[in-house]
Amino acid sequence: MLNRKVISRLTTGLLAGMLMSSALAGGVSLGGTRVIYQESAREATLSLSNTSDNNLYLIQSWITQANGAKSTDFVLTPPLFTLKPHKENSLRIMYTGPALPADRETVFYLNSKAIPSVKKKDISGNTLQIATQSVIKVFMRPADLPSTSLDAPKHLTCKVAAGNVTVTNPSPYYVTLVGFTVGGKKLPNSMVSPKSSLSVAVPAQGSGTVIFQTVNDYGANTARQSCG
């Protein structure tokens, strides 16, 4: 484990890939915790703001598939740009790939890395520069789905058996579960895919009422609900 003495000897460096749970990377904040890309739209946009007083950031963005592989089916404009203190820029997201399933959403992930600039006077000094990376979901939403995303949580069903809770989502939307508990035992935040089921282990083979909140299109938590 590095102590302070060791860290003080480090010359200018870069620690990349430090993922943050919120849509905030260093002094750079993203204008949302998710992007809803409507199939009928040519593009989606996301704002990025530099909230710091002094730091200039180099912003690099790209899209990955659910398996983590980089996707070549999107054009991001601009993919690389600088963001001055207290300034804002918009990232345009354009899908150029093959047709996606028309009966359900498809999820991708937007990665945005904020790399702080280094002042010339600090290059030869003992400084540590940290690049931070935010990752948010991009939901590709087909047109003319038979229900709304607001209705999706209402249709979830749950079953607790053999130390697991299985959540079934018959809707065409991804549903993210937060504040997820079974019999009062806390479970990790989870996302149930459209027209699919997800099983999550319950601590100590617990049982009881399944309670959760979901995250809506605006990134806000919905009211707590039980599931049977």
Side-chain angles (χ1 to χ4, degrees):
M1 183 175 183
L2 293 178
N3 56 34
R4 292 183 180 179
K5 185 176 180 180
V6 173
I7 293 177
S8 69
R9 294 177 181 174
L10 291 175
T11 56
T12 302
L14 182 67
L15 297 182
M18 297 179 64
L19 303 183
M20 305 183 72
S21 58
S22 64
L24 178 69
V28 177
S29 61
L30 277 60
T33 59
R34 56 193 50 220
V35 173
I36 308 298
Y37 193 131
Q38 302 287 350
E39 182 188 52
S40 57
R42 288 186 54 194
E43 62 186 49
T45 60
L46 179 71
S47 63
L48 296 92
S49 302
N50 184 350
T51 59
S52 70
D53 294 324
N54 303 304
N55 288 334
L56 173 74
Y57 286 91
L58 178 66
I59 309 298
Q60 182 183 19
S61 302
W62 66 96
I63 299 281
T64 56
Q65 301 173 29
N67 62 8
K70 190 171 182 179
S71 174
T72 59
D73 294 332
F74 289 85
V75 174
L76 300 184
T77 307
L80 190 69
F81 62 93
T82 57
L83 198 55
K84 296 180 180 180
H86 297 294
K87 295 295 182 181
E88 180 177 307
N89 200 359
S90 292
L91 183 67
R92 296 170 59 200
I93 306 166
M94 292 166 282
Y95 183 73
T96 58
L100 296 171
D103 65 339
R104 69 193 69 190
E105 289 183 326
T106 303
V107 68
F108 293 88
Y109 291 84
L110 171 65
N111 300 258
S112 188
K113 184 186 294 183
I115 306 169
S117 63
V118 180
K119 297 179 181 179
K120 290 184 179 180
K121 66 182 182 66
D122 293 332
I123 292 178
S124 59
N126 297 324
T127 61
L128 181 66
Q129 297 295 324
I130 298 177
T132 49
Q133 183 177 322
S134 290
V135 182
I136 65 173
K137 300 179 182 75
V138 178
F139 295 107
M140 304 295 294
R141 182 168 295 173
D144 302 322
L145 291 177
S147 60
T148 69
S149 60
L150 290 175
D151 292 330
K154 304 174 186 177
H155 299 296
L156 297 179
T157 59
C158 307
K159 181 179 180 180
V160 181
N164 292 281
V165 55
T166 300
V167 182
T168 300
N169 175 18
S171 82
Y173 300 93
Y174 282 89
V175 179
T176 299
L177 308 178
V178 296
F180 188 18
T181 63
V182 173
K185 293 181 171 61
K186 187 176 181 180
L187 303 182
N189 294 345
S190 305
M191 185 169 72
V192 192
S193 300
K195 303 179 185 294
S196 300
S197 295
L198 175 71
S199 291
V200 180
V202 180
Q205 300 281 311
S207 61
T209 303
V210 180
I211 296 176
F212 57 81
Q213 294 172 278
T214 64
V215 182
N216 65 22
D217 286 353
Y218 306 100
N221 291 353
T222 62
R224 287 163 59 89
Q225 69 179 72
S226 60
C227 178

